[in-house]
Amino acid sequence: MTLHKHSHGARSLPFKRAYVAAMIVTFIHYMAVVATLTLIFILIRTQDNKVAMWLLGALALVGATWGIGYIFRRAATCPLCKGTPLVDTRAAKHRKAVRLKPLNFGATALLQLTFSNRFRCMYCGTPFDLLRKPGSHHERGGF
């Protein structure tokens, strides 16, 4: 990942709500996937009907959180290029776009946002920091 350790050069996000909502729903989605896999393992070992019912509920939760998460990820747009940096599309990617294989650019941006509160827009290449307050400027050498 090519983002700096500190947020020097990263821009603030004026509207953070969609990004925070996408992070929360994605976290719940990944936990539901882990619960589903765990319940599949338990069901194979025990053959219990109660576990089967819990498994059906976990599968429903995975589907629901994926759909809701997709809506929130589409709502999170880049303030500069108006692209959707948390949803990978067929549009051309910036040369500074970050991708962790086997994930796509959108999933990589979401992981960066979740664990570091920073990400780089895959379409315009601009780094953003979720914790930086709008209007906060930092001094750069030069003029």
Side-chain angles (χ1 to χ4, degrees):
M1 294 185 196
T2 60
L3 291 178
H4 302 295
K5 183 176 181 180
H6 301 288
S7 61
H8 300 298
R11 293 177 168 262
S12 65
L13 286 166
F15 305 105
K16 299 174 171 77
R17 184 174 293 174
Y19 288 95
V20 172
M23 283 190 328
I24 291 169
V25 172
T26 301
F27 178 76
I28 294 169
H29 175 72
Y30 288 145
M31 292 299 105
V33 169
V34 169
T36 301
L37 294 175
T38 304
L39 287 168
I40 288 172
F41 177 76
I42 293 171
L43 182 63
I44 291 171
R45 303 280 297 186
T46 64
Q47 302 291 322
D48 187 7
N49 285 337
K50 289 182 183 179
V51 176
M53 296 305 291
W54 280 99
L55 178 60
L56 290 176
L59 285 172
L61 183 62
V62 167
T65 55
W66 183 86
I68 294 168
Y70 182 76
I71 291 168
F72 284 128
R73 289 189 311 269
R74 291 289 293 181
T77 58
C78 175
L80 295 179
C81 69
K82 304 302 181 208
T84 54
L86 302 181
V87 177
D88 203 0
T89 63
R90 302 184 109 200
K93 309 299 187 271
H94 193 271
R95 63 180 174 83
K96 291 183 179 179
V98 180
R99 178 181 177 210
L100 295 174
K101 293 184 180 181
L103 302 175
N104 61 21
F105 289 97
T108 301
L110 194 56
L111 283 176
Q112 285 179 335
L113 188 63
T114 301
F115 291 109
S116 68
N117 289 312
R118 293 186 300 268
F119 72 98
R120 184 180 294 274
C121 178
M122 71 178 100
Y123 303 113
C124 64
T126 306
F128 290 97
D129 188 347
L130 191 66
L131 299 179
R132 178 166 280 190
K133 297 194 185 333
S136 64
H137 300 288
H138 59 276
E139 290 188 26
R140 288 189 177 182
F143 308 132

